[in-house]
Coordinates of all heavy atoms in Angstrom, one line a residue:
I734 N 26.1 -5.7 -8.7 CA 25.5 -4.4 -8.6 C 26.7 -3.4 -8.7 O 26.6 -2.3 -9.3 CB 24.9 -4.3 -7.2 CG1 23.6 -5.1 -7.1 CG2 24.5 -2.8 -6.8 CD1 23.0 -5.3 -5.7
R735 N 27.9 -3.8 -8.2 CA 29.0 -2.9 -8.3 C 29.4 -2.7 -9.8 O 29.7 -1.5 -10.2 CB 30.2 -3.5 -7.5 CG 30.1 -3.4 -6.0 CD 31.2 -4.0 -5.2 NE 31.1 -3.8 -3.8 CZ 31.8 -4.5 -2.9 NH1 32.7 -5.4 -3.3 NH2 31.7 -4.2 -1.6
D736 N 29.3 -3.8 -10.5 CA 29.6 -3.7 -12.0 C 28.7 -2.7 -12.6 O 29.0 -1.9 -13.4 CB 29.6 -5.0 -12.6 CG 30.7 -5.9 -12.3 OD1 31.7 -5.4 -11.7 OD2 30.6 -7.2 -12.4
V737 N 27.3 -2.8 -12.3 CA 26.3 -2.0 -12.8 C 26.6 -0.6 -12.5 O 26.5 0.3 -13.4 CB 25.0 -2.4 -12.3 CG1 23.8 -1.3 -12.6 CG2 24.4 -3.7 -12.9
I738 N 27.0 -0.3 -11.3 CA 27.2 1.0 -10.8 C 28.4 1.6 -11.6 O 28.5 2.8 -12.1 CB 27.4 1.1 -9.4 CG1 26.1 0.9 -8.6 CG2 28.0 2.5 -8.9 CD1 26.2 0.7 -7.2
R739 N 29.5 0.9 -11.7 CA 30.8 1.3 -12.4 C 30.4 1.7 -13.8 O 31.2 2.5 -14.4 CB 31.8 0.2 -12.4 CG 32.8 0.4 -11.2 CD 34.0 -0.5 -11.4 NE 33.7 -1.8 -11.2 CZ 33.7 -2.6 -10.1 NH1 34.0 -1.9 -8.9 NH2 33.4 -3.8 -10.0
A740 N 29.4 1.0 -14.5 CA 29.1 1.2 -15.8 C 28.2 2.3 -16.1 O 27.9 2.6 -17.3 CB 28.6 -0.1 -16.4
I741 N 27.7 3.0 -15.1 CA 26.7 4.0 -15.3 C 27.5 5.2 -15.8 O 28.5 5.7 -15.3 CB 26.1 4.5 -13.9 CG1 25.2 3.3 -13.5 CG2 25.2 5.8 -14.2 CD1 24.6 3.6 -12.0
P742 N 27.0 5.7 -17.0 CA 27.6 6.9 -17.6 C 27.6 8.1 -16.7 O 26.6 8.3 -16.0 CB 26.7 7.1 -18.9 CG 26.0 5.9 -19.1 CD 25.8 5.3 -17.8
R743 N 28.7 8.8 -16.6 CA 28.9 9.9 -15.6 C 27.8 11.0 -16.0 O 27.5 11.8 -15.1 CB 30.3 10.5 -15.7 CG 31.3 9.6 -15.2 CD 31.1 9.3 -13.7 NE 32.1 8.3 -13.1 CZ 32.0 7.1 -13.1 NH1 31.0 6.4 -13.6 NH2 32.9 6.3 -12.5
D744 N 27.3 11.1 -17.2 CA 26.4 12.1 -17.5 C 25.0 11.8 -16.9 O 24.0 12.6 -17.0 CB 26.2 12.5 -19.0 CG 25.7 11.2 -19.8 OD1 25.4 10.2 -19.3 OD2 25.7 11.4 -21.1
K745 N 24.8 10.6 -16.3 CA 23.6 10.2 -15.7 C 23.6 10.7 -14.1 O 22.7 10.7 -13.5 CB 23.3 8.7 -15.6 CG 23.2 8.1 -17.0 CD 21.9 8.4 -17.5 CE 21.7 7.6 -18.9 NZ 20.7 8.3 -19.7
Y746 N 24.9 11.1 -13.7 CA 24.9 11.6 -12.3 C 24.2 12.8 -12.1 O 24.5 13.8 -12.8 CB 26.4 11.7 -11.9 CG 27.2 10.4 -11.6 CD1 26.8 9.2 -12.0 CD2 28.4 10.6 -10.9 CE1 27.6 8.2 -11.8 CE2 29.2 9.5 -10.7 CZ 28.7 8.3 -11.1 OH 29.5 7.1 -10.9
E747 N 23.4 13.0 -11.1 CA 22.7 14.3 -10.7 C 23.6 14.9 -9.6 O 24.0 14.3 -8.7 CB 21.3 13.9 -10.2 CG 20.5 13.2 -11.1 CD 19.2 12.6 -10.4 OE1 18.6 13.2 -9.6 OE2 18.8 11.5 -10.8
L748 N 23.8 16.2 -9.9 CA 24.9 16.9 -9.1 C 24.2 17.8 -8.1 O 24.9 18.4 -7.2 CB 25.7 17.7 -10.0 CG 26.3 17.1 -11.2 CD1 27.1 18.1 -12.0 CD2 27.2 16.0 -10.7
H749 N 22.8 17.9 -8.0 CA 22.2 19.0 -7.2 C 22.2 18.7 -5.7 O 21.8 19.5 -4.9 CB 20.7 19.2 -7.7 CG 19.9 17.9 -7.8 ND1 19.2 17.3 -6.7 CD2 19.7 16.9 -8.8 CE1 18.6 16.2 -7.1 NE2 19.0 16.0 -8.3
E750 N 22.7 17.5 -5.3 CA 22.8 17.3 -3.9 C 24.3 17.2 -3.4 O 24.5 16.8 -2.3 CB 22.0 16.0 -3.4 CG 20.5 16.3 -3.6 CD 19.6 15.1 -3.1 OE1 20.3 14.1 -2.6 OE2 18.4 15.2 -3.1
M751 N 25.2 17.7 -4.3 CA 26.5 17.7 -3.9 C 26.8 18.7 -2.7 O 27.5 18.3 -1.7 CB 27.5 18.0 -5.1 CG 29.0 17.9 -4.8 SD 29.5 16.5 -4.0 CE 29.4 15.3 -5.3
Q752 N 26.2 19.8 -2.8 CA 26.5 20.8 -1.8 C 25.8 20.5 -0.4 O 26.4 20.6 0.6 CB 25.9 22.1 -2.2 CG 26.5 23.2 -1.4 CD 26.2 24.7 -1.9 OE1 25.6 24.8 -3.0 NE2 26.7 25.7 -1.3
S753 N 24.6 20.0 -0.5 CA 23.8 19.7 0.7 C 24.1 18.3 1.3 O 24.1 18.2 2.5 CB 22.3 19.8 0.5 OG 21.9 19.1 -0.6
F754 N 24.4 17.3 0.5 CA 24.7 15.9 1.0 C 26.1 15.5 0.8 O 26.5 14.4 1.2 CB 23.7 15.0 0.4 CG 22.3 15.1 0.9 CD1 21.4 16.0 0.6 CD2 21.9 14.1 1.9 CE1 20.1 16.0 1.0 CE2 20.6 14.2 2.4 CZ 19.7 15.1 1.9
G755 N 26.8 16.2 -0.1 CA 28.1 15.6 -0.6 C 28.0 14.3 -1.4 O 28.9 13.4 -1.2
R756 N 27.0 14.3 -2.2 CA 26.8 13.0 -2.9 C 26.3 13.2 -4.4 O 25.7 14.3 -4.7 CB 25.8 12.2 -2.2 CG 24.4 12.7 -2.3 CD 23.4 11.8 -1.5 NE 22.0 12.3 -1.5 CZ 21.1 11.8 -0.8 NH1 21.2 10.8 0.1 NH2 19.8 12.3 -0.9
F757 N 26.7 12.3 -5.2 CA 26.2 12.2 -6.6 C 24.9 11.2 -6.4 O 25.0 10.3 -5.6 CB 27.1 11.6 -7.6 CG 28.3 12.3 -7.8 CD1 29.5 12.0 -7.1 CD2 28.4 13.5 -8.6 CE1 30.7 12.7 -7.3 CE2 29.6 14.2 -8.8 CZ 30.7 13.8 -8.2
I758 N 23.9 11.4 -7.2 CA 22.8 10.5 -7.1 C 22.3 10.1 -8.6 O 22.6 10.9 -9.5 CB 21.6 11.1 -6.3 CG1 21.1 12.4 -6.8 CG2 21.9 11.1 -4.8 CD1 19.9 13.0 -6.1
V759 N 21.7 8.9 -8.6 CA 21.1 8.5 -10.0 C 19.8 7.9 -9.6 O 19.7 6.9 -8.8 CB 22.0 7.4 -10.6 CG1 21.4 7.0 -11.9 CG2 23.5 7.9 -10.8
H760 N 18.8 8.4 -10.1 CA 17.4 8.0 -9.9 C 17.0 6.9 -10.8 O 17.1 7.1 -12.1 CB 16.4 9.2 -10.0 CG 16.3 10.0 -8.7 ND1 17.0 11.1 -8.5 CD2 15.5 9.8 -7.6 CE1 16.7 11.6 -7.3 NE2 15.8 10.8 -6.7
D761 N 16.3 5.9 -10.4 CA 15.5 4.9 -11.1 C 16.3 4.4 -12.3 O 15.9 4.3 -13.5 CB 14.2 5.5 -11.6 CG 13.3 5.9 -10.5 OD1 13.2 5.0 -9.5 OD2 12.7 7.0 -10.4
Y762 N 17.5 4.0 -12.1 CA 18.4 3.4 -13.1 C 17.8 2.0 -13.4 O 17.5 1.3 -12.5 CB 19.9 3.3 -12.7 CG 20.8 3.1 -13.8 CD1 21.0 4.1 -14.8 CD2 21.5 1.9 -13.9 CE1 22.0 3.9 -15.7 CE2 22.5 1.7 -14.9 CZ 22.5 2.7 -15.9 OH 23.5 2.5 -16.9
P763 N 17.6 1.7 -14.6 CA 16.9 0.5 -15.0 C 17.3 -0.8 -14.3 O 16.4 -1.5 -13.8 CB 17.1 0.3 -16.6 CG 17.3 1.7 -17.1 CD 18.1 2.4 -15.8
E764 N 18.6 -1.0 -14.2 CA 19.0 -2.3 -13.4 C 18.7 -2.2 -11.9 O 18.5 -3.3 -11.3 CB 20.6 -2.6 -13.6 CG 21.0 -3.1 -14.9 CD 21.2 -2.0 -16.1 OE1 20.8 -0.9 -15.8 OE2 21.9 -2.4 -17.0
I765 N 18.8 -1.1 -11.4 CA 18.4 -0.9 -10.0 C 16.9 -1.1 -9.8 O 16.4 -1.8 -8.8 CB 18.9 0.5 -9.4 CG1 20.4 0.7 -9.7 CG2 18.5 0.7 -8.0 CD1 21.3 -0.4 -9.1
T766 N 16.2 -0.6 -10.7 CA 14.7 -0.7 -10.6 C 14.4 -2.2 -10.8 O 13.4 -2.7 -10.0 CB 14.1 0.1 -11.8 OG1 14.4 1.5 -11.5 CG2 12.5 -0.1 -11.7
A767 N 15.1 -2.9 -11.6 CA 14.8 -4.4 -11.7 C 15.2 -5.2 -10.4 O 14.4 -6.0 -10.0 CB 15.7 -4.9 -12.9
L768 N 16.3 -4.7 -9.8 CA 16.6 -5.4 -8.5 C 15.6 -5.0 -7.5 O 15.1 -5.9 -6.8 CB 18.0 -4.7 -8.1 CG 18.3 -5.0 -6.6 CD1 18.7 -6.5 -6.4 CD2 19.5 -4.1 -6.1
Q769 N 15.1 -3.8 -7.5 CA 14.0 -3.5 -6.5 C 12.8 -4.4 -6.6 O 12.2 -4.8 -5.7 CB 13.7 -2.0 -6.7 CG 12.5 -1.5 -5.7 CD 12.3 0.0 -5.8 OE1 12.7 0.6 -6.8 NE2 11.7 0.6 -4.9
A770 N 12.4 -4.7 -7.9 CA 11.2 -5.4 -8.1 C 11.4 -6.9 -7.5 O 10.4 -7.5 -7.1 CB 11.0 -5.5 -9.6
T771 N 12.6 -7.4 -7.5 CA 12.8 -8.7 -6.9 C 12.7 -8.8 -5.5 O 12.7 -9.8 -4.9 CB 14.2 -9.2 -7.4 OG1 15.3 -8.5 -6.7 CG2 14.5 -9.2 -8.8
L772 N 12.7 -7.6 -4.8 CA 12.7 -7.5 -3.4 C 11.3 -7.2 -2.7 O 11.2 -7.1 -1.5 CB 13.8 -6.5 -2.9 CG 15.2 -6.9 -3.2 CD1 16.1 -5.7 -3.1 CD2 15.6 -8.0 -2.2
V773 N 10.3 -7.2 -3.6 CA 9.0 -6.8 -3.0 C 8.4 -7.7 -2.0 O 8.0 -7.2 -1.0 CB 8.0 -6.7 -4.3 CG1 6.6 -6.5 -3.8 CG2 8.4 -5.4 -5.2
D774 N 8.5 -9.0 -2.2 CA 8.0 -9.9 -1.3 C 8.8 -9.9 0.0 O 8.1 -10.0 1.1 CB 8.1 -11.4 -1.9 CG 7.1 -11.5 -3.0 OD1 6.1 -10.7 -3.1 OD2 7.1 -12.5 -3.8
K775 N 10.0 -9.8 -0.1 CA 10.9 -9.8 1.1 C 10.5 -8.4 2.0 O 10.4 -8.5 3.2 CB 12.4 -9.8 0.9 CG 12.8 -11.1 0.6 CD 14.4 -11.2 0.4 CE 14.9 -12.5 0.2 NZ 16.3 -12.6 -0.4
V776 N 10.5 -7.4 1.3 CA 10.1 -6.1 2.0 C 8.8 -6.1 2.5 O 8.5 -5.6 3.7 CB 10.3 -4.8 1.1 CG1 9.9 -3.5 1.7 CG2 11.9 -4.8 0.6
S777 N 7.9 -6.7 1.9 CA 6.5 -6.8 2.4 C 6.5 -7.6 3.7 O 5.8 -7.3 4.7 CB 5.6 -7.6 1.5 OG 5.4 -6.9 0.2
E778 N 7.3 -8.7 3.7 CA 7.4 -9.6 4.9 C 8.0 -8.7 6.1 O 7.5 -8.7 7.2 CB 8.2 -10.8 4.6 CG 8.3 -11.8 5.7 CD 9.3 -12.9 5.2 OE1 9.2 -13.3 4.1 OE2 10.1 -13.4 6.0
W779 N 9.2 -8.1 5.7 CA 9.8 -7.3 6.8 C 9.0 -6.2 7.4 O 9.1 -5.8 8.5 CB 11.2 -6.8 6.4 CG 12.1 -7.9 5.9 CD1 12.3 -9.1 6.6 CD2 13.1 -7.9 4.9 NE1 13.3 -9.8 6.0 CE2 13.8 -9.1 4.9 CE3 13.4 -7.0 3.9 CZ2 14.8 -9.4 4.0 CZ3 14.4 -7.2 3.0 CH2 15.1 -8.4 3.1
A780 N 8.2 -5.5 6.4 CA 7.5 -4.3 6.8 C 6.2 -4.7 7.5 O 5.6 -3.9 8.2 CB 7.2 -3.5 5.5
G781 N 5.8 -5.9 7.3 CA 4.5 -6.3 7.9 C 3.3 -5.9 7.2 O 2.2 -5.9 7.7
E782 N 3.4 -5.4 5.9 CA 2.3 -5.1 5.0 C 2.7 -5.3 3.6 O 3.9 -5.2 3.2 CB 1.8 -3.8 5.2 CG 2.7 -2.6 4.8 CD 2.1 -1.2 5.0 OE1 0.9 -1.1 5.4 OE2 2.8 -0.2 4.7
A783 N 1.8 -5.6 2.7 CA 2.1 -5.8 1.3 C 2.5 -4.4 0.7 O 1.8 -3.4 0.9 CB 0.9 -6.2 0.5
V784 N 3.7 -4.4 0.0 CA 4.2 -3.1 -0.6 C 4.2 -3.2 -2.1 O 4.2 -4.4 -2.6 CB 5.6 -2.7 0.0 CG1 5.4 -2.7 1.5 CG2 6.6 -3.8 -0.4
E785 N 4.5 -2.1 -2.7 CA 4.9 -2.0 -4.1 C 6.0 -1.0 -4.3 O 6.2 -0.1 -3.3 CB 3.7 -1.7 -5.0 CG 3.1 -0.3 -4.8 CD 2.0 0.1 -5.7 OE1 0.8 -0.2 -5.3 OE2 2.2 0.7 -6.7
P786 N 6.9 -1.2 -5.3 CA 7.9 -0.3 -5.5 C 7.3 1.3 -5.7 O 6.3 1.4 -6.3 CB 8.6 -0.7 -6.8 CG 8.3 -2.2 -6.9 CD 6.9 -2.2 -6.3
S787 N 8.1 2.2 -5.1 CA 7.8 3.6 -5.3 C 8.8 4.2 -6.3 O 8.5 4.4 -7.5 CB 7.7 4.3 -4.0 OG 7.5 5.7 -4.1
Y788 N 10.0 4.5 -5.8 CA 11.1 4.9 -6.7 C 12.4 4.5 -6.0 O 12.3 3.9 -4.8 CB 11.0 6.4 -6.9 CG 11.4 7.3 -5.7 CD1 12.6 8.0 -5.6 CD2 10.4 7.5 -4.8 CE1 12.9 8.7 -4.6 CE2 10.8 8.3 -3.6 CZ 12.0 8.9 -3.6 OH 12.3 9.7 -2.5
N789 N 13.5 4.6 -6.7 CA 14.7 4.4 -6.0 C 15.8 5.4 -6.5 O 15.6 6.0 -7.4 CB 15.2 2.9 -6.4 CG 15.4 2.8 -7.8 OD1 16.5 3.2 -8.3 ND2 14.6 2.1 -8.6
F790 N 16.9 5.4 -5.7 CA 18.1 6.2 -6.2 C 19.3 5.5 -5.6 O 19.4 4.9 -4.5 CB 18.0 7.6 -6.0 CG 18.0 8.1 -4.5 CD1 19.1 8.4 -3.9 CD2 16.8 8.2 -3.8 CE1 19.1 8.9 -2.5 CE2 16.8 8.7 -2.5 CZ 18.0 8.9 -1.9
L791 N 20.4 5.7 -6.4 CA 21.7 5.4 -6.0 C 22.4 6.6 -5.4 O 22.3 7.7 -6.0 CB 22.5 4.8 -7.2 CG 24.0 4.7 -7.0 CD1 24.5 3.7 -6.1 CD2 24.6 4.5 -8.5
S792 N 23.0 6.4 -4.3 CA 23.6 7.6 -3.6 C 25.1 7.3 -3.4 O 25.5 6.4 -2.7 CB 23.0 7.8 -2.2 OG 23.6 8.8 -1.5
L793 N 25.9 8.0 -4.2 CA 27.4 7.9 -4.1 C 27.9 9.1 -3.3 O 28.2 10.1 -3.8 CB 27.9 8.0 -5.6 CG 27.4 6.9 -6.5 CD1 27.9 7.1 -7.9 CD2 27.8 5.4 -6.0
Y794 N 28.1 8.8 -2.0 CA 28.6 9.8 -1.0 C 30.1 9.9 -1.3 O 30.8 8.9 -1.3 CB 28.3 9.4 0.4 CG 26.9 9.8 0.9 CD1 25.9 8.8 0.9 CD2 26.6 11.0 1.3 CE1 24.6 9.1 1.4 CE2 25.3 11.4 1.8 CZ 24.3 10.4 1.8 OH 23.0 10.6 2.3
T795 N 30.5 11.2 -1.2 CA 32.0 11.5 -1.4 C 32.5 11.7 0.1 O 31.7 11.6 1.0 CB 32.2 12.7 -2.2 OG1 31.7 13.9 -1.4 CG2 31.5 12.7 -3.5
R796 N 33.7 12.2 0.2 CA 34.3 12.4 1.6 C 33.5 13.6 2.2 O 33.7 13.9 3.3 CB 35.8 12.7 1.5 CG 36.0 13.9 0.6 CD 37.6 14.0 0.3 NE 37.8 14.9 -0.8 CZ 38.9 15.5 -1.0 NH1 40.0 15.2 -0.3 NH2 39.0 16.3 -2.0
L797 N 32.7 14.3 1.4 CA 31.9 15.5 1.9 C 30.5 15.0 2.5 O 29.7 15.9 2.8 CB 31.7 16.6 0.9 CG 32.9 17.1 0.3 CD1 32.6 18.1 -0.9 CD2 33.8 17.9 1.3
G798 N 30.3 13.7 2.6 CA 29.1 13.1 2.9 C 28.5 13.6 4.2 O 29.2 13.6 5.3
V799 N 27.2 13.8 4.2 CA 26.4 14.2 5.4 C 25.0 14.0 5.1 O 24.6 14.0 3.9 CB 26.8 15.7 5.9 CG1 26.3 16.7 4.8 CG2 26.0 16.0 7.2
C800 N 24.1 13.8 6.1 CA 22.7 13.7 5.8 C 22.1 14.4 7.0 O 22.0 13.8 8.1 CB 22.3 12.3 5.7 SG 20.5 12.0 5.4

Side-chain angles (χ1 to χ4, degrees):
I734 294 169
R735 287 174 175 170
D736 290 344
V737 166
I738 291 172
R739 263 193 294 273
I741 295 176
R743 292 299 180 268
D744 64 3
K745 300 283 187 207
Y746 283 19
E747 299 163 41
L748 309 179
H749 52 89
E750 292 188 356
M751 183 51 74
Q752 195 169 0
S753 50
F754 285 82
R756 68 184 183 188
F757 299 101
I758 53 177
V759 182
H760 275 93
D761 296 320
Y762 198 67
E764 282 91 338
I765 304 301
T766 300
L768 169 72
Q769 181 174 15
T771 68
L772 291 163
V773 165
D774 289 346
K775 282 183 178 166
V776 172
S777 297
E778 188 183 317
W779 296 324
E782 69 175 357
V784 302
E785 62 180 89
S787 175
Y788 70 103
N789 67 71
F790 65 93
L791 164 67
S792 178
L793 301 171
Y794 278 99
T795 69
R796 61 188 166 165
L797 303 176
V799 61
C800 178

